Amino acid sequence: MKLSGKNALVTGSDQGIGQGIALRLAQEGADVVVNYRKNQEGADATCEQIRQMGRRTAAVQADVGVTADARRLVEEAIAALGSLDILVNNAGIEKNASFVDITEEDYHAVIAVTMSGAFFCTQSFARHRQDVKGGGRVINISSVHEELPFPHFTPYCMAKGGLKMMMRNLAIELAPLGITVNNVAPGAIETPINKKLLSDPKLLEPLLANIPLRRLGQPSDVAGVTAFLASADADYITAATIVVDGGLLWNYSEQ
Ligand SMILES: NC(=O)c1ccc[n+]([C@@H]2O[C@H](COP(=O)([O-])OP(=O)(O)OC[C@H]3O[C@@H](n4cnc5c(N)ncnc54)[C@H](O)[C@@H]3O)[C@@H](O)[C@H]2O)c1
């Protein structure tokens, strides 16, 4: 097992990709703190599966879009496991609205959860790793939309693009502390965030036609790469984005 003896926190791990990552890290031997905002049932179910693997775990309620909560989350995760080696910034939300219509409230919500949450969780994590002088791993679940425009989702693209530059800056700034910082950029993954898309063949079929591997991704596709980046196999990888999208981002052809 690649992560024996390591302690991890995964934000937004009560369902979807975050849940898949929490379970995969535990499978690889890590003890894992699960975070949720509202879905305690999902968080408890994730913890139960982690316990069944013989790993330590705890569920911590926190809204990462609120700075005080993001800081408390990292502190409670450290208290629950004794220390933290791995932080996965996964929590994120999107709002579908045209630029002229999006409300101030929705704009701030997307930026707060998807970008600022990762910023302040990482700041608390880096302070902790500085204190214990042990290196560490930060992995942000960004998106192909850290590069690719997505009309009607401008704050989401701004937040994911922000995560790209945060990752590149911190990879340099935190390198002297032995902390690597990388992004995993999923394409279209089958999770509750895509509920509308998944239930509407008129939306789903053109999307599948645009993915060279002709299928949606699964949370396990993202979780495997995240576990790799958290492991010693990735010791020399920092400032990188690994795209997990079945070829979607760079798909172009002419008949
Ligand atoms: N599913 C996709 O196609 C896809 C593609 C690219 C990137 N992503 C990214 O992957 C991440 C996970 O998305 P998902 O597809 O699993 O969606 P999801 O909606 O199933 O999961 C989002 C998770 O974030 C948590 N969350 C939301 N707001 C929060 C808050 N304020 N504080 C703490 N947790 C909060 C939710 O509880 C949930 O666990 C997101 O950052 C998303 O942008 C998803």
Side-chain angles (χ1 to χ4, degrees), residues 164-233:
K164 180 179 73 177
M165 287 314 296
M166 182 180 95
M167 174 273 288
R168 290 184 181 173
N169 272 275
L170 297 186
I172 298 167
E173 199 170 331
L174 301 182
L177 300 178
I179 299 173
T180 65
V181 188
N182 294 290
N183 282 9
V184 176
I189 310 296
E190 210 171 319
T191 73
I193 210 173
N194 289 321
K195 231 178 353 209
K196 196 168 155 233
L197 175 79
L198 293 167
S199 60
D200 185 347
K202 278 201 223 84
L203 296 173
L204 189 56
E205 279 161 22
L207 171 65
L208 286 174
N210 220 18
I211 300 173
L213 290 183
R214 292 287 184 271
R215 70 167 176 90
L216 295 178
Q218 296 299 318
S220 57
D221 291 313
V222 182
V225 173
T226 307
F228 161 71
L229 286 172
S231 78
D233 287 340

Short mmCIF file of all heavy atoms in Angstrom, two decimals, residues 164-233:
data_model
loop_
_atom_site.label_atom_id
_atom_site.label_comp_id
_atom_site.label_asym_id
_atom_site.label_seq_id
_atom_site.Cartn_x
_atom_site.Cartn_y
_atom_site.Cartn_z
N LYS A 164 -5.43 27.05 -10.85
CA LYS A 164 -4.23 26.73 -11.64
C LYS A 164 -3.07 27.64 -11.22
O LYS A 164 -1.96 27.17 -10.96
CB LYS A 164 -4.51 26.89 -13.14
CG LYS A 164 -3.30 26.58 -14.00
CD LYS A 164 -3.60 26.72 -15.49
CE LYS A 164 -3.72 28.20 -15.85
NZ LYS A 164 -3.95 28.39 -17.30
N MET A 165 -3.31 28.94 -11.13
CA MET A 165 -2.23 29.86 -10.78
C MET A 165 -1.86 29.76 -9.31
O MET A 165 -0.70 29.95 -8.94
CB MET A 165 -2.59 31.30 -11.17
CG MET A 165 -2.55 31.55 -12.67
SD MET A 165 -1.07 30.89 -13.50
CE MET A 165 0.23 31.84 -12.75
N MET A 166 -2.82 29.44 -8.45
CA MET A 166 -2.48 29.21 -7.04
C MET A 166 -1.51 28.02 -6.96
O MET A 166 -0.48 28.08 -6.27
CB MET A 166 -3.74 28.92 -6.22
CG MET A 166 -3.45 28.71 -4.75
SD MET A 166 -4.93 28.38 -3.76
CE MET A 166 -4.93 26.60 -3.75
N MET A 167 -1.83 26.95 -7.68
CA MET A 167 -0.99 25.75 -7.67
C MET A 167 0.43 26.07 -8.16
O MET A 167 1.43 25.68 -7.54
CB MET A 167 -1.66 24.68 -8.54
CG MET A 167 -0.89 23.41 -8.78
SD MET A 167 0.22 23.54 -10.20
CE MET A 167 -0.90 23.52 -11.59
N ARG A 168 0.53 26.83 -9.26
CA ARG A 168 1.87 27.12 -9.81
C ARG A 168 2.68 28.00 -8.85
O ARG A 168 3.88 27.80 -8.69
CB ARG A 168 1.74 27.79 -11.17
CG ARG A 168 1.24 26.83 -12.23
CD ARG A 168 1.21 27.48 -13.59
NE ARG A 168 0.71 26.56 -14.60
CZ ARG A 168 0.44 26.90 -15.84
NH1 ARG A 168 0.63 28.14 -16.24
NH2 ARG A 168 -0.01 26.01 -16.70
N ASN A 169 2.02 28.97 -8.23
CA ASN A 169 2.73 29.83 -7.27
C ASN A 169 3.18 29.04 -6.05
O ASN A 169 4.33 29.15 -5.61
CB ASN A 169 1.82 30.97 -6.79
CG ASN A 169 1.91 32.18 -7.69
OD1 ASN A 169 2.78 33.01 -7.53
ND2 ASN A 169 1.02 32.25 -8.65
N LEU A 170 2.23 28.25 -5.50
CA LEU A 170 2.54 27.56 -4.24
C LEU A 170 3.56 26.44 -4.45
O LEU A 170 4.33 26.13 -3.54
CB LEU A 170 1.26 27.01 -3.60
CG LEU A 170 0.24 28.07 -3.18
CD1 LEU A 170 -0.91 27.43 -2.42
CD2 LEU A 170 0.88 29.19 -2.36
N ALA A 171 3.58 25.85 -5.65
CA ALA A 171 4.58 24.81 -5.92
C ALA A 171 5.98 25.39 -5.73
O ALA A 171 6.88 24.72 -5.22
CB ALA A 171 4.41 24.26 -7.34
N ILE A 172 6.15 26.65 -6.10
CA ILE A 172 7.46 27.30 -5.93
C ILE A 172 7.65 27.75 -4.48
O ILE A 172 8.67 27.47 -3.85
CB ILE A 172 7.57 28.51 -6.89
CG1 ILE A 172 7.46 28.04 -8.34
CG2 ILE A 172 8.89 29.25 -6.66
CD1 ILE A 172 7.26 29.15 -9.36
N GLU A 173 6.61 28.42 -3.96
CA GLU A 173 6.76 29.02 -2.63
C GLU A 173 6.85 27.97 -1.51
O GLU A 173 7.55 28.19 -0.51
CB GLU A 173 5.56 29.95 -2.38
CG GLU A 173 5.80 30.95 -1.28
CD GLU A 173 4.69 32.01 -1.22
OE1 GLU A 173 4.07 32.33 -2.26
OE2 GLU A 173 4.46 32.50 -0.11
N LEU A 174 6.18 26.85 -1.69
CA LEU A 174 6.18 25.83 -0.62
C LEU A 174 7.22 24.73 -0.85
O LEU A 174 7.40 23.86 0.01
CB LEU A 174 4.78 25.21 -0.48
CG LEU A 174 3.64 26.20 -0.15
CD1 LEU A 174 2.31 25.47 0.01
CD2 LEU A 174 3.95 27.01 1.12
N ALA A 175 7.92 24.78 -1.98
CA ALA A 175 8.95 23.75 -2.25
C ALA A 175 10.01 23.70 -1.14
O ALA A 175 10.42 22.60 -0.73
CB ALA A 175 9.59 23.98 -3.61
N PRO A 176 10.47 24.84 -0.60
CA PRO A 176 11.47 24.75 0.48
C PRO A 176 10.95 24.03 1.72
O PRO A 176 11.74 23.55 2.53
CB PRO A 176 11.77 26.23 0.80
CG PRO A 176 11.37 26.98 -0.43
CD PRO A 176 10.22 26.23 -1.01
N LEU A 177 9.62 23.94 1.86
CA LEU A 177 9.05 23.19 2.99
C LEU A 177 8.85 21.71 2.65
O LEU A 177 8.34 20.93 3.46
CB LEU A 177 7.69 23.79 3.40
CG LEU A 177 7.68 25.26 3.83
CD1 LEU A 177 6.24 25.69 4.16
CD2 LEU A 177 8.57 25.46 5.07
N GLY A 178 9.22 21.34 1.42
CA GLY A 178 9.04 19.94 1.01
C GLY A 178 7.59 19.61 0.67
O GLY A 178 7.20 18.44 0.65
N ILE A 179 6.82 20.65 0.38
CA ILE A 179 5.40 20.43 0.03
C ILE A 179 5.26 20.49 -1.49
O ILE A 179 5.65 21.49 -2.11
CB ILE A 179 4.49 21.49 0.68
CG1 ILE A 179 4.60 21.42 2.21
CG2 ILE A 179 3.04 21.32 0.23
CD1 ILE A 179 3.86 22.54 2.93
N THR A 180 4.74 19.42 -2.10
CA THR A 180 4.44 19.48 -3.54
C THR A 180 2.99 19.91 -3.72
O THR A 180 2.13 19.64 -2.87
CB THR A 180 4.66 18.12 -4.24
OG1 THR A 180 3.73 17.16 -3.72
CG2 THR A 180 6.09 17.62 -4.04
N VAL A 181 2.73 20.61 -4.83
CA VAL A 181 1.38 21.13 -5.10
C VAL A 181 1.04 20.83 -6.56
O VAL A 181 1.78 21.25 -7.46
CB VAL A 181 1.31 22.66 -4.86
CG1 VAL A 181 -0.14 23.15 -4.94
CG2 VAL A 181 1.92 23.03 -3.50
N ASN A 182 -0.03 20.10 -6.77
CA ASN A 182 -0.44 19.73 -8.13
C ASN A 182 -1.95 19.80 -8.27
O ASN A 182 -2.68 19.77 -7.27
CB ASN A 182 0.02 18.29 -8.43
CG ASN A 182 1.54 18.18 -8.49
OD1 ASN A 182 2.18 18.68 -9.41
ND2 ASN A 182 2.12 17.53 -7.49
N ASN A 183 -2.40 19.87 -9.52
CA ASN A 183 -3.84 19.85 -9.80
C ASN A 183 -4.20 18.57 -10.57
O ASN A 183 -3.42 18.11 -11.40
CB ASN A 183 -4.25 21.03 -10.69
CG ASN A 183 -4.38 22.33 -9.90
OD1 ASN A 183 -4.00 22.41 -8.74
ND2 ASN A 183 -4.90 23.35 -10.55
N VAL A 184 -5.39 18.07 -10.30
CA VAL A 184 -5.99 17.05 -11.15
C VAL A 184 -7.19 17.72 -11.82
O VAL A 184 -8.03 18.31 -11.14
CB VAL A 184 -6.45 15.82 -10.33
CG1 VAL A 184 -7.16 14.81 -11.23
CG2 VAL A 184 -5.26 15.17 -9.64
N ALA A 185 -7.23 17.67 -13.16
CA ALA A 185 -8.27 18.39 -13.91
C ALA A 185 -9.21 17.39 -14.60
O ALA A 185 -8.91 16.91 -15.69
CB ALA A 185 -7.61 19.30 -14.95
N PRO A 186 -10.35 17.08 -13.94
CA PRO A 186 -11.28 16.14 -14.57
C PRO A 186 -12.03 16.78 -15.74
O PRO A 186 -12.25 17.99 -15.77
CB PRO A 186 -12.26 15.80 -13.45
CG PRO A 186 -11.67 16.34 -12.18
CD PRO A 186 -10.79 17.48 -12.60
N GLY A 187 -12.45 15.92 -16.68
CA GLY A 187 -13.39 16.34 -17.72
C GLY A 187 -14.80 16.10 -17.21
O GLY A 187 -15.16 16.58 -16.15
N ALA A 188 -15.59 15.32 -17.95
CA ALA A 188 -16.98 15.06 -17.53
C ALA A 188 -17.03 13.76 -16.74
O ALA A 188 -16.83 12.68 -17.29
CB ALA A 188 -17.88 14.98 -18.75
N ILE A 189 -17.32 13.88 -15.45
CA ILE A 189 -17.32 12.72 -14.56
C ILE A 189 -18.75 12.49 -14.06
O ILE A 189 -19.48 13.46 -13.78
CB ILE A 189 -16.39 12.97 -13.34
CG1 ILE A 189 -14.99 13.47 -13.78
CG2 ILE A 189 -16.27 11.72 -12.47
CD1 ILE A 189 -14.16 12.53 -14.61
N GLU A 190 -19.13 11.22 -13.96
CA GLU A 190 -20.49 10.89 -13.56
C GLU A 190 -20.69 11.07 -12.06
O GLU A 190 -20.35 10.19 -11.27
CB GLU A 190 -20.76 9.42 -13.95
CG GLU A 190 -22.19 9.16 -14.27
CD GLU A 190 -22.40 7.77 -14.85
OE1 GLU A 190 -21.58 7.31 -15.68
OE2 GLU A 190 -23.38 7.14 -14.44
N THR A 191 -21.19 12.24 -11.66
CA THR A 191 -21.44 12.54 -10.24
C THR A 191 -22.70 13.40 -10.13
O THR A 191 -23.19 13.90 -11.14
CB THR A 191 -20.28 13.34 -9.61
OG1 THR A 191 -20.34 14.68 -10.12
CG2 THR A 191 -18.91 12.74 -9.87
N PRO A 192 -23.18 13.63 -8.90
CA PRO A 192 -24.40 14.43 -8.74
C PRO A 192 -24.30 15.85 -9.33
O PRO A 192 -25.32 16.44 -9.68
CB PRO A 192 -24.57 14.50 -7.21
CG PRO A 192 -23.93 13.24 -6.72
CD PRO A 192 -22.76 13.01 -7.63
N ILE A 193 -23.08 16.41 -9.48
CA ILE A 193 -22.96 17.77 -10.01
C ILE A 193 -23.51 17.81 -11.45
O ILE A 193 -23.94 18.86 -11.94
CB ILE A 193 -21.49 18.27 -9.95
CG1 ILE A 193 -21.42 19.79 -9.77
CG2 ILE A 193 -20.70 17.89 -11.18
CD1 ILE A 193 -19.98 20.33 -9.54
N ASN A 194 -23.50 16.66 -12.14
CA ASN A 194 -23.95 16.58 -13.54
C ASN A 194 -25.34 15.95 -13.69
O ASN A 194 -25.68 15.43 -14.75
CB ASN A 194 -22.95 15.77 -14.38
CG ASN A 194 -21.66 16.53 -14.58
OD1 ASN A 194 -21.67 17.73 -14.78
ND2 ASN A 194 -20.54 15.82 -14.53
N LYS A 195 -26.16 16.05 -12.62
CA LYS A 195 -27.49 15.42 -12.59
C LYS A 195 -28.32 15.75 -13.84
O LYS A 195 -28.86 14.88 -14.49
CB LYS A 195 -28.23 15.92 -11.34
CG LYS A 195 -28.79 14.81 -10.51
CD LYS A 195 -29.50 15.27 -9.24
CE LYS A 195 -29.42 16.73 -8.91
NZ LYS A 195 -29.49 17.09 -7.52
N LYS A 196 -28.37 17.05 -14.16
CA LYS A 196 -29.21 17.50 -15.27
C LYS A 196 -28.73 16.89 -16.59
O LYS A 196 -29.51 16.37 -17.37
CB LYS A 196 -29.15 19.03 -15.33
CG LYS A 196 -30.23 19.63 -16.16
CD LYS A 196 -30.34 21.14 -15.97
CE LYS A 196 -30.97 21.74 -17.20
NZ LYS A 196 -30.18 22.82 -17.76
N LEU A 197 -27.44 16.96 -16.80
CA LEU A 197 -26.81 16.43 -18.01
C LEU A 197 -27.06 14.93 -18.16
O LEU A 197 -27.42 14.43 -19.23
CB LEU A 197 -25.30 16.71 -17.91
CG LEU A 197 -24.38 16.18 -18.98
CD1 LEU A 197 -24.46 17.07 -20.19
CD2 LEU A 197 -22.94 16.15 -18.47
N LEU A 198 -26.91 14.20 -17.05
CA LEU A 198 -27.00 12.74 -17.09
C LEU A 198 -28.42 12.27 -17.40
O LEU A 198 -28.63 11.21 -17.97
CB LEU A 198 -26.56 12.15 -15.74
CG LEU A 198 -25.08 12.32 -15.41
CD1 LEU A 198 -24.79 12.00 -13.95
CD2 LEU A 198 -24.23 11.44 -16.32
N SER A 199 -29.40 13.11 -17.04
CA SER A 199 -30.79 12.68 -17.23
C SER A 199 -31.38 13.20 -18.54
O SER A 199 -32.55 12.99 -18.81
CB SER A 199 -31.64 13.15 -16.04
OG SER A 199 -31.57 14.57 -16.00
N ASP A 200 -30.59 13.87 -19.35
CA ASP A 200 -31.12 14.44 -20.60
C ASP A 200 -30.29 13.97 -21.81
O ASP A 200 -29.21 14.51 -22.07
CB ASP A 200 -31.11 15.98 -20.49
CG ASP A 200 -31.77 16.62 -21.70
OD1 ASP A 200 -32.00 15.92 -22.70
OD2 ASP A 200 -32.04 17.83 -21.63
N PRO A 201 -30.81 12.98 -22.55
CA PRO A 201 -30.04 12.44 -23.69
C PRO A 201 -29.66 13.53 -24.70
O PRO A 201 -28.62 13.42 -25.36
CB PRO A 201 -31.00 11.43 -24.33
CG PRO A 201 -32.05 11.17 -23.31
CD PRO A 201 -32.11 12.33 -22.37
N LYS A 202 -30.49 14.59 -24.80
CA LYS A 202 -30.18 15.65 -25.77
C LYS A 202 -28.90 16.40 -25.38
O LYS A 202 -28.23 16.98 -26.22
CB LYS A 202 -31.35 16.65 -25.84
CG LYS A 202 -32.46 16.17 -26.74
CD LYS A 202 -33.30 17.36 -27.18
CE LYS A 202 -34.77 17.08 -27.13
NZ LYS A 202 -35.48 17.24 -25.88
N LEU A 203 -28.60 16.42 -24.11
CA LEU A 203 -27.36 17.07 -23.66
C LEU A 203 -26.20 16.06 -23.63
O LEU A 203 -25.06 16.38 -23.96
CB LEU A 203 -27.55 17.65 -22.25
CG LEU A 203 -28.57 18.78 -22.08
CD1 LEU A 203 -28.75 19.12 -20.62
CD2 LEU A 203 -28.13 20.02 -22.86
N LEU A 204 -26.54 14.84 -23.22
CA LEU A 204 -25.49 13.83 -23.00
C LEU A 204 -24.85 13.34 -24.31
O LEU A 204 -23.63 13.21 -24.40
CB LEU A 204 -26.11 12.65 -22.23
CG LEU A 204 -25.14 11.60 -21.72
CD1 LEU A 204 -24.06 12.20 -20.84
CD2 LEU A 204 -25.89 10.50 -20.95
N GLU A 205 -25.70 13.10 -25.33
CA GLU A 205 -25.16 12.51 -26.57
C GLU A 205 -24.10 13.38 -27.26
O GLU A 205 -23.03 12.88 -27.62
CB GLU A 205 -26.30 12.13 -27.52
CG GLU A 205 -26.90 10.78 -27.12
CD GLU A 205 -28.29 10.55 -27.68
OE1 GLU A 205 -28.64 11.18 -28.69
OE2 GLU A 205 -29.02 9.73 -27.08
N PRO A 206 -24.36 14.70 -27.44
CA PRO A 206 -23.31 15.52 -28.05
C PRO A 206 -22.04 15.59 -27.21
O PRO A 206 -20.93 15.64 -27.76
CB PRO A 206 -23.94 16.91 -28.16
CG PRO A 206 -25.35 16.80 -27.73
CD PRO A 206 -25.59 15.43 -27.19
N LEU A 207 -22.19 15.53 -25.90
CA LEU A 207 -21.00 15.54 -25.04
C LEU A 207 -20.18 14.27 -25.26
O LEU A 207 -18.97 14.33 -25.46
CB LEU A 207 -21.40 15.67 -23.56
CG LEU A 207 -20.26 15.48 -22.57
CD1 LEU A 207 -19.21 16.58 -22.72
CD2 LEU A 207 -20.76 15.43 -21.13
N LEU A 208 -20.86 13.12 -25.26
CA LEU A 208 -20.15 11.85 -25.46
C LEU A 208 -19.46 11.83 -26.83
O LEU A 208 -18.34 11.32 -26.96
CB LEU A 208 -21.12 10.66 -25.34
CG LEU A 208 -21.57 10.35 -23.92
CD1 LEU A 208 -22.64 9.26 -23.93
CD2 LEU A 208 -20.40 9.93 -23.04
N ALA A 209 -20.12 12.42 -27.83
CA ALA A 209 -19.54 12.45 -29.18
C ALA A 209 -18.25 13.27 -29.20
O ALA A 209 -17.41 13.12 -30.07
CB ALA A 209 -20.55 13.03 -30.16
N ASN A 210 -18.12 14.16 -28.22
CA ASN A 210 -16.95 15.05 -28.14
C ASN A 210 -15.81 14.48 -27.32
O ASN A 210 -14.74 15.08 -27.21
CB ASN A 210 -17.42 16.36 -27.49
CG ASN A 210 -16.80 17.56 -28.15
OD1 ASN A 210 -16.28 17.47 -29.26
ND2 ASN A 210 -16.81 18.67 -27.44
N ILE A 211 -16.04 13.32 -26.69
CA ILE A 211 -15.01 12.69 -25.85
C ILE A 211 -14.39 11.54 -26.63
O ILE A 211 -15.07 10.55 -26.92
CB ILE A 211 -15.63 12.17 -24.52
CG1 ILE A 211 -16.26 13.33 -23.74
CG2 ILE A 211 -14.58 11.44 -23.68
CD1 ILE A 211 -17.05 12.90 -22.51
N PRO A 212 -13.11 11.64 -27.01
CA PRO A 212 -12.51 10.58 -27.82
C PRO A 212 -12.68 9.17 -27.24
O PRO A 212 -12.89 8.23 -27.99
CB PRO A 212 -11.03 10.99 -27.89
CG PRO A 212 -11.10 12.49 -27.80
CD PRO A 212 -12.22 12.78 -26.84
N LEU A 213 -12.62 9.00 -25.93
CA LEU A 213 -12.79 7.65 -25.36
C LEU A 213 -14.26 7.26 -25.23
O LEU A 213 -14.59 6.17 -24.75
CB LEU A 213 -12.09 7.55 -23.99
CG LEU A 213 -10.56 7.56 -24.05
CD1 LEU A 213 -9.95 7.38 -22.65
CD2 LEU A 213 -10.01 6.47 -24.98
N ARG A 214 -15.19 8.17 -25.64
CA ARG A 214 -16.63 7.88 -25.77
C ARG A 214 -17.30 7.38 -24.49
O ARG A 214 -18.19 6.53 -24.55
CB ARG A 214 -16.87 6.85 -26.89
CG ARG A 214 -16.57 7.37 -28.28
CD ARG A 214 -17.63 8.37 -28.76
NE ARG A 214 -17.38 8.78 -30.13
CZ ARG A 214 -16.61 9.82 -30.49
NH1 ARG A 214 -16.05 10.59 -29.56
NH2 ARG A 214 -16.43 10.12 -31.76
N ARG A 215 -16.83 7.86 -23.35
CA ARG A 215 -17.55 7.55 -22.11
C ARG A 215 -17.32 8.67 -21.12
O ARG A 215 -16.34 9.41 -21.24
CB ARG A 215 -17.12 6.21 -21.52
CG ARG A 215 -15.70 6.20 -20.96
CD ARG A 215 -15.44 4.95 -20.12
NE ARG A 215 -14.07 4.84 -19.64
CZ ARG A 215 -13.62 5.35 -18.46
NH1 ARG A 215 -14.44 6.00 -17.66
NH2 ARG A 215 -12.35 5.19 -18.10
N LEU A 216 -18.22 8.79 -20.15
CA LEU A 216 -17.98 9.71 -19.04
C LEU A 216 -16.93 9.08 -18.12
O LEU A 216 -16.77 7.86 -18.10
CB LEU A 216 -19.26 9.94 -18.25
CG LEU A 216 -20.38 10.66 -18.99
CD1 LEU A 216 -21.60 10.78 -18.10
CD2 LEU A 216 -19.94 12.05 -19.44
N GLY A 217 -16.24 9.92 -17.37
CA GLY A 217 -15.31 9.40 -16.37
C GLY A 217 -16.07 8.99 -15.11
O GLY A 217 -17.21 9.40 -14.89
N GLN A 218 -15.42 8.18 -14.30
CA GLN A 218 -15.97 7.78 -13.00
C GLN A 218 -15.12 8.41 -11.90
O GLN A 218 -13.94 8.71 -12.12
CB GLN A 218 -15.95 6.25 -12.87
CG GLN A 218 -16.83 5.54 -13.87
CD GLN A 218 -18.30 5.93 -13.73
OE1 GLN A 218 -18.81 6.03 -12.61
NE2 GLN A 218 -18.97 6.18 -14.85
N PRO A 219 -15.70 8.60 -10.70
CA PRO A 219 -14.88 9.12 -9.60
C PRO A 219 -13.58 8.33 -9.41
O PRO A 219 -12.54 8.90 -9.09
CB PRO A 219 -15.81 8.98 -8.38
CG PRO A 219 -17.18 9.16 -8.97
CD PRO A 219 -17.13 8.49 -10.32
N SER A 220 -13.62 7.01 -9.66
CA SER A 220 -12.41 6.19 -9.49
C SER A 220 -11.31 6.59 -10.47
O SER A 220 -10.13 6.44 -10.17
CB SER A 220 -12.75 4.70 -9.65
OG SER A 220 -13.35 4.48 -10.91
N ASP A 221 -11.70 7.11 -11.66
CA ASP A 221 -10.68 7.56 -12.62
C ASP A 221 -9.88 8.73 -12.04
O ASP A 221 -8.67 8.85 -12.26
CB ASP A 221 -11.35 8.02 -13.93
CG ASP A 221 -11.96 6.87 -14.72
OD1 ASP A 221 -11.28 5.85 -14.88
OD2 ASP A 221 -13.11 7.01 -15.17
N VAL A 222 -10.57 9.61 -11.32
CA VAL A 222 -9.92 10.78 -10.72
C VAL A 222 -9.17 10.37 -9.44
O VAL A 222 -8.07 10.85 -9.16
CB VAL A 222 -10.96 11.88 -10.39
CG1 VAL A 222 -10.30 13.11 -9.81
CG2 VAL A 222 -11.77 12.24 -11.64
N ALA A 223 -9.76 9.43 -8.72
CA ALA A 223 -9.19 9.02 -7.43
C ALA A 223 -7.83 8.34 -7.61
O ALA A 223 -6.91 8.54 -6.80
CB ALA A 223 -10.16 8.09 -6.71
N GLY A 224 -7.70 7.53 -8.67
CA GLY A 224 -6.43 6.82 -8.89
C GLY A 224 -5.27 7.77 -9.10
O GLY A 224 -4.18 7.60 -8.53
N VAL A 225 -5.50 8.81 -9.89
CA VAL A 225 -4.44 9.79 -10.16
C VAL A 225 -4.12 10.59 -8.89
O VAL A 225 -2.96 10.91 -8.61
CB VAL A 225 -4.89 10.75 -11.30
CG1 VAL A 225 -3.90 11.88 -11.47
CG2 VAL A 225 -5.05 9.99 -12.59
N THR A 226 -5.15 10.88 -8.12
CA THR A 226 -4.94 11.63 -6.87
C THR A 226 -4.09 10.81 -5.90
O THR A 226 -3.16 11.34 -5.26
CB THR A 226 -6.30 12.00 -6.25
OG1 THR A 226 -7.09 12.66 -7.24
CG2 THR A 226 -6.13 12.89 -5.03
N ALA A 227 -4.39 9.51 -5.81
CA ALA A 227 -3.60 8.64 -4.92
C ALA A 227 -2.15 8.57 -5.39
O ALA A 227 -1.22 8.58 -4.57
CB ALA A 227 -4.23 7.24 -4.88
N PHE A 228 -1.96 8.52 -6.70
CA PHE A 228 -0.60 8.52 -7.25
C PHE A 228 0.14 9.80 -6.84
O PHE A 228 1.28 9.75 -6.36
CB PHE A 228 -0.67 8.38 -8.77
CG PHE A 228 0.59 8.80 -9.48
CD1 PHE A 228 1.75 8.04 -9.39
CD2 PHE A 228 0.62 9.99 -10.22
CE1 PHE A 228 2.92 8.44 -10.03
CE2 PHE A 228 1.78 10.39 -10.86
CZ PHE A 228 2.94 9.63 -10.76
N LEU A 229 -0.52 10.96 -7.02
CA LEU A 229 0.15 12.23 -6.68
C LEU A 229 0.44 12.33 -5.18
O LEU A 229 1.37 13.03 -4.77
CB LEU A 229 -0.72 13.42 -7.13
CG LEU A 229 -0.74 13.69 -8.63
CD1 LEU A 229 -1.78 14.76 -8.98
CD2 LEU A 229 0.65 14.12 -9.14
N ALA A 230 -0.35 11.64 -4.37
CA ALA A 230 -0.13 11.67 -2.92
C ALA A 230 0.99 10.71 -2.50
O ALA A 230 1.49 10.78 -1.38
CB ALA A 230 -1.43 11.29 -2.20
N SER A 231 1.40 9.83 -3.41
CA SER A 231 2.34 8.76 -3.04
C SER A 231 3.79 9.14 -3.31
O SER A 231 4.08 10.13 -4.00
CB SER A 231 2.00 7.49 -3.84
OG SER A 231 2.50 7.62 -5.17
N ALA A 232 4.71 8.30 -2.83
CA ALA A 232 6.14 8.54 -3.05
C ALA A 232 6.52 8.43 -4.53
O ALA A 232 7.54 8.97 -4.96
CB ALA A 232 6.96 7.56 -2.21
N ASP A 233 5.69 7.73 -5.33
CA ASP A 233 5.96 7.65 -6.77
C ASP A 233 5.94 9.02 -7.43
O ASP A 233 6.49 9.19 -8.52
CB ASP A 233 4.91 6.76 -7.47
CG ASP A 233 5.12 5.28 -7.17
OD1 ASP A 233 6.23 4.91 -6.75
OD2 ASP A 233 4.17 4.51 -7.34
#
